[in-house]
Amino acid sequence: TNTNTNTNTNTNTNTMDLMTPREARITAPITAALTASTIALAGLTTTPTAANAIVSSPDFDTSVRTFFPGAVPNSVINLRVTKKLKDREYRPYNTILGSSLCSDEIDSTALSLVQNLQRSLTLAKDGGVFNLGGLGGVPFVGKSGFGAFLSHVPTSGKVVILYGPHVGISNEGVVGKVERVGQANPSTSCGAAVGAYKAIKAGGRGPNDNFDYQEEFIIDELTPKLQTLLEQQKNSGAVNGFVNANTAIAAVTCNMFDVVNDVMEAQLEAAFAKPGFWDKISEVTLLGGIVLNRGHGAGLVGGDDYFQPLQFKATNKNGEVDMWDQVFGDLKRTA
């Protein structure tokens, strides 16, 4: 039995190696869930690696390791990132911080990653955060918003942008649910991503609504991505291409990262192409990934949320510098 389990695990690993980064990222939750199920049936246990820095509820910890195996607490991300950026001459007086995270209040608590980075990278009294994001973490501010943000950079200064979607993991390990202060029961996180997923399963969205354009954009962008995922997984033996609800929401969240990342990259490429851009700004750093919200409130462990880093690179007039291996080389880059 042990031999068969190891063979299955190795086969999954080899298959992932042959995939593109995006394919590996969006199929990893299903592969991880299937592997975890096989191991559990075989009576084996696995040793947690990257995501065991803080002991929390066993169910929360298990879901983090299963679906987002490269995630670590916010405080760990903050220490690693700020150390690397300080080595690259990022200082409070020459750095501006932007974020493109979901509008949800649980993404900007005192222990959130964006607040950690603000305290570490900007001036204690005067350093703020330019909010680029809307629902799901998509940078809905558009050309005008990016233009305003980049015009605020200190002369010959540096830019740091934290971006990506988020997903809650409840104390009981339910992906897509999270306990909120003052509420009796866990609620949805991310509501925009989960709502889009439900709309797509139900056949798509209705007519355009000027007062709900952000959610409509997310539905439109996720629809082809999720259909592709369903097609890829149709032979997995799972209902609707998903092993269970946790796997489904994890997969939706991974696809949401691609949506956010595509818009972020497109907006910045357009900005970089403008004449004289690098005469005013010396470097732009992107820190992209998935925020994992944990439950907060009475009777819960609380503390740091987790972050699954998926992108860490700097761009300047000389080109692009991928800093992933130097900073997160010990973590899995897929979620």
Side-chain angles (χ1 to χ4, degrees), residues 219-292:
I219 293 171
D220 289 345
E221 292 297 309
L222 275 181
T223 295
K225 296 180 184 297
L226 294 188
Q227 293 303 320
T228 300
L229 179 61
L230 290 171
E231 180 66 24
Q232 289 173 342
Q233 299 302 322
K234 68 180 181 180
N235 297 321
S236 69
V239 177
N240 291 331
F242 294 118
V243 176
N244 55 39
N246 278 358
T247 308
I249 302 307
V252 169
T253 305
C254 292
N255 277 277
M256 271 302 302
F257 176 79
D258 287 327
V259 172
V260 177
N261 188 68
D262 288 348
V263 178
M264 178 64 67
E265 295 272 9
Q267 293 283 1
L268 287 177
E269 285 178 10
F272 297 162
K274 292 182 178 180
F277 180 88
W278 296 114
D279 296 336
K280 303 174 183 178
I281 297 174
S282 62
E283 190 165 271
V284 176
T285 289
L286 290 179
L287 173 60
I290 298 171
V291 175
L292 308 181

Side-chain angles (χ1 to χ4, degrees), residues 285-308:
T285 289
L286 290 179
L287 173 60
I290 298 171
V291 175
L292 308 181
N293 307 119
R294 68 188 308 150
H296 294 273
L300 298 177
V301 175
D304 267 3
D305 285 344
Y306 279 58
F307 186 75
Q308 166 74 65

Side-chain angles (χ1 to χ4, degrees), residues 150-175:
L150 296 171
S151 73
H152 299 174
V153 181
T155 303
S156 299
K158 301 176 184 293
V159 178
V160 179
I161 302 176
L162 169 67
Y163 71 97
H166 74 124
V167 65
I169 300 179
S170 74
N171 205 49
E172 296 181 350
V174 178
V175 180

Side-chain angles (χ1 to χ4, degrees), residues 65-335:
R65 294 197 307 271
T66 300
F67 299 105
F68 303 97
V72 292
N74 287 343
S75 55
V76 176
I77 297 289
N78 180 59
L79 287 172
R80 293 190 184 195
V81 167
T82 54
K83 181 181 184 302
K84 182 61 179 178
L85 293 183
K86 287 177 180 178
D87 290 344
R88 297 183 68 83
E89 304 300 323
Y90 283 69
R91 299 290 185 269
Y93 58 81
N94 72 0
T95 300
I96 188 171
L97 176 63
S99 74
S100 191
L101 304 174
C102 186
S103 308
D104 197 319
E105 78 283 351
I106 57 177
D107 287 336
S108 59
T109 64
L111 293 178
S112 65
L113 181 55
V114 67
Q115 293 286 343
N116 270 273
L117 292 171
Q118 181 182 5
R119 288 189 290 269
S120 299
L121 295 173
T122 68
L123 292 171
K125 181 179 178 181
D126 301 314
V129 180
F130 195 109
N131 183 18
L132 299 160
L135 293 182
V138 180
F140 281 112
V141 294
K143 295 179 181 178
S144 297
F146 271 90
F149 170 55
L150 296 171
S151 73
H152 299 174
V153 181
T155 303
S156 299
K158 301 176 184 293
V159 178
V160 179
I161 302 176
L162 169 67
Y163 71 97
H166 74 124
V167 65
I169 300 179
S170 74
N171 205 49
E172 296 181 350
V174 178
V175 180
K177 294 288 186 179
V178 69
E179 296 84 357
R180 298 177 187 268
V181 175
Q183 292 195 352
N185 299 308
S187 64
T188 304
S189 167
C190 168
V194 173
Y197 166 58
K198 290 180 177 179
I200 293 166
K201 285 206 304 179
R205 65 175 178 86
N208 290 343
D209 184 342
N210 290 336
F211 293 100
D212 204 21
Y213 69 91
Q214 293 190 10
E215 183 68 6
E216 290 174 348
F217 177 89
I218 292 171
I219 293 171
D220 289 345
E221 292 297 309
L222 275 181
T223 295
K225 296 180 184 297
L226 294 188
Q227 293 303 320
T228 300
L229 179 61
L230 290 171
E231 180 66 24
Q232 289 173 342
Q233 299 302 322
K234 68 180 181 180
N235 297 321
S236 69
V239 177
N240 291 331
F242 294 118
V243 176
N244 55 39
N246 278 358
T247 308
I249 302 307
V252 169
T253 305
C254 292
N255 277 277
M256 271 302 302
F257 176 79
D258 287 327
V259 172
V260 177
N261 188 68
D262 288 348
V263 178
M264 178 64 67
E265 295 272 9
Q267 293 283 1
L268 287 177
E269 285 178 10
F272 297 162
K274 292 182 178 180
F277 180 88
W278 296 114
D279 296 336
K280 303 174 183 178
I281 297 174
S282 62
E283 190 165 271
V284 176
T285 289
L286 290 179
L287 173 60
I290 298 171
V291 175
L292 308 181
N293 307 119
R294 68 188 308 150
H296 294 273
L300 298 177
V301 175
D304 267 3
D305 285 344
Y306 279 58
F307 186 75
Q308 166 74 65
L310 296 171
Q311 181 79 275
F312 188 45
K313 66 179 182 180
T315 305
N316 54 46
K317 64 181 180 180
N318 296 317
E320 190 175 282
V321 180
D322 191 336
M323 300 181 287
W324 174 270
D325 288 339
Q326 301 168 30
V327 178
F328 300 123
D330 59 319
L331 306 180
K332 294 184 179 181
R333 198 167 190 171
T334 59

